[in-house]
Amino acid sequence: MGTEIHQQWEYKTLEPPKGLTKRETVDPTDELNRLGAEGWELAETISYDGGGTKLLLFKRPVSHE
């Protein structure tokens, strides 16, 4: 039997930027586009119990170059 290769992932988190009042979220499009260009894919959002997004979780395949 051949050796089975499993995909390996690396992860990164990003806290959505806050506006002046620290309550509203600022549009993170530029940062998301930068991360996408680096191969990161948004995998999940992690929210507060009371609502609102606390973290954005990204993943990308580990490069074995």
Side-chain angles (χ1 to χ4, degrees), residues 10-12 14 32 35 40-43 56-59:
E10 62 180 324
Y11 297 90
K12 178 184 208 68
L14 171 69
L32 293 173
L35 290 170
W40 293 101
E41 176 183 1
L42 180 63
L56 303 175
L57 176 65
F58 295 84
K59 70 177 187 177

Side-chain angles (χ1 to χ4, degrees), residues 11-33:
Y11 297 90
K12 178 184 208 68
T13 58
L14 171 69
E15 185 174 359
K18 303 293 184 208
L20 294 176
T21 66
K22 303 296 183 196
R23 296 189 69 135
E24 76 275 3
T25 301
V26 175
D27 184 354
T29 299
D30 289 342
E31 181 70 5
L32 293 173
N33 284 329

